[in-house]
Amino acid sequence: MVMSLLLNFIFPPPSSLFVSAMSVISLVILVKSGYSEIKGKHLNYSKFWNANANPQNQIKLSSKAGMLLLYTPALLAGVASFWIFPNEGIRSTILHAAITLHYLKRDLEVLFVHKFSGSMMLDSAIIITLSYFSSAATMIYAQHLSKGLPEPPINLLYPGVVLFLVGISGNFYHHYLLSKLRGKGEKEYKIPKGGLFKFVIGPHYLFELIAWYGVSFIAQTLYSFSFSIGSTFYLAGRSYATRRWYLSKFEDFPKDVKALIPFVF
């Protein structure tokens, strides 16, 4: 019954043990990571770069170098997909373009938008890099395996394109607002203002999720939805921890500002 309902929205799962396993593994790891963020065990980047770690005993990267390391392999996977799986139809082409554009945008933001103050632990950087790369590569491969399978009765391709564009635009806008909080040479954190920051502390996370659900609508594969659902749990945990951090650092942080979803959470 449940599978019959799902097949209205997704391609039939391919006979690939690898993709099926990755669908489960990605979901479980991301859900666990979100729970760990809530419990205070953070991946060591951004404002949590030195949380739960002894910096003297670990290899550190500059935040800029670390962030480039996170995104570039996934960007290369997106670029390579045009060559490895060419001419597989409009859905695959749009998916390849969306993944490539997403990670290209992230690299460009690292180079020209973000202002960094801390460092990044190498072990966290490696974990996140592998996660981004494997998710991009698996999403592309899962789409390749859908070639020749019956199309889902409900076509979400073009709504997915709209969601994706809204998501990356909103994500960029709020990253831009964050970058404007600091003047030249400043490194301290400030309470974000503007845009949806008056409602949630993580609007950039919210729009990132909108973009990933847009990618899922474009792909309509089991793996893509598994990754987006897992990312929801992770970013919900990360935004919850971020809100708690701001509450602990700023006495004037507005208590009605939620973590991720306006007025709700």
Side-chain angles (χ1 to χ4, degrees), residues 199-202 243 255-265:
F199 300 113
V200 293
I201 197 59
R243 181 179 185 274
K255 304 298 189 293
D256 57 339
V257 171
K258 300 295 185 181
L260 184 66
I261 304 172
F263 312 113
V264 177
F265 171 79

Side-chain angles (χ1 to χ4, degrees), residues 24-61:
V24 176
I25 291 169
S26 294
L27 178 61
V28 170
I29 289 176
L30 287 166
V31 170
K32 183 178 182 297
S33 297
Y35 179 72
S36 294
E37 291 288 337
I38 291 173
K39 299 298 288 184
K41 187 176 181 181
H42 308 292
L43 287 173
N44 299 123
Y45 66 94
S46 188
K47 59 184 60 61
F48 300 114
W49 75 269
N50 63 348
N52 312 121
N54 185 348
Q56 294 180 342
N57 297 329
Q58 298 192 40
I59 299 174
K60 292 187 295 184
L61 304 173

Side-chain angles (χ1 to χ4, degrees), residues 9 11 90-99 139 143 146 151-152 155-165 210-221 224-225:
F9 300 95
F11 284 95
I90 186 66
R91 188 186 296 274
S92 289
T93 300
I94 292 176
L95 176 70
H96 299 169
I99 291 173
M139 205 172 296
Q143 197 67 47
S146 73
E151 286 273 336
N155 187 352
L156 300 175
L157 173 60
Y158 295 108
V161 172
V162 174
L163 277 180
F164 174 73
L165 293 176
I210 290 171
W212 279 122
Y213 278 102
V215 171
S216 295
F217 279 27
I218 292 168
Q220 292 190 244
T221 59
S224 65
F225 278 104

Side-chain angles (χ1 to χ4, degrees), residues 2-206:
V2 174
M3 182 55 70
S4 177
L5 180 62
L6 285 176
L7 288 177
N8 287 316
F9 300 95
I10 65 172
F11 284 95
S15 55
S16 168
L17 180 60
F18 170 76
V19 173
S20 298
M22 285 296 291
S23 298
V24 176
I25 291 169
S26 294
L27 178 61
V28 170
I29 289 176
L30 287 166
V31 170
K32 183 178 182 297
S33 297
Y35 179 72
S36 294
E37 291 288 337
I38 291 173
K39 299 298 288 184
K41 187 176 181 181
H42 308 292
L43 287 173
N44 299 123
Y45 66 94
S46 188
K47 59 184 60 61
F48 300 114
W49 75 269
N50 63 348
N52 312 121
N54 185 348
Q56 294 180 342
N57 297 329
Q58 298 192 40
I59 299 174
K60 292 187 295 184
L61 304 173
S62 72
S63 289
K64 178 173 282 192
M67 288 295 180
L68 286 175
L69 174 63
L70 302 191
Y71 303 129
T72 303
L75 168 62
L76 295 176
V79 172
S81 67
F82 289 98
W83 173 68
I84 297 172
F85 301 122
N87 306 317
E88 292 195 340
I90 186 66
R91 188 186 296 274
S92 289
T93 300
I94 292 176
L95 176 70
H96 299 169
I99 291 173
T100 303
L101 180 59
H102 173 77
Y103 288 109
L104 175 62
K105 166 189 160 293
R106 299 310 298 266
D107 268 357
L108 292 175
E109 286 175 338
V110 171
L111 291 171
F112 303 112
V113 177
H114 295 317
K115 294 178 181 177
F116 301 102
S117 59
S119 301
M120 182 180 295
M121 297 301 176
L122 179 60
D123 56 352
S124 287
I126 291 173
I127 291 170
I128 301 169
T129 300
L130 290 174
S131 173
Y132 285 155
F133 175 78
S134 63
S135 64
T138 306
M139 205 172 296
I140 291 163
Y141 182 58
Q143 197 67 47
H144 166 69
L145 294 179
S146 73
K147 184 179 180 181
L149 296 176
E151 286 273 336
I154 299 175
N155 187 352
L156 300 175
L157 173 60
Y158 295 108
V161 172
V162 174
L163 277 180
F164 174 73
L165 293 176
V166 169
I168 63 167
S169 299
N171 179 264
F172 170 77
Y173 174 64
H174 288 91
H175 280 163
Y176 173 77
L177 291 179
L178 285 173
S179 75
K180 291 301 176 185
L181 290 174
R182 293 173 178 166
K184 187 174 181 180
E186 292 182 332
K187 292 188 176 183
E188 72 275 9
Y189 281 94
K190 300 178 182 179
I191 298 174
K193 292 181 174 22
L196 290 186
F197 280 115
K198 61 180 153 183
F199 300 113
V200 293
I201 197 59
H204 48 310
Y205 292 151
L206 175 61

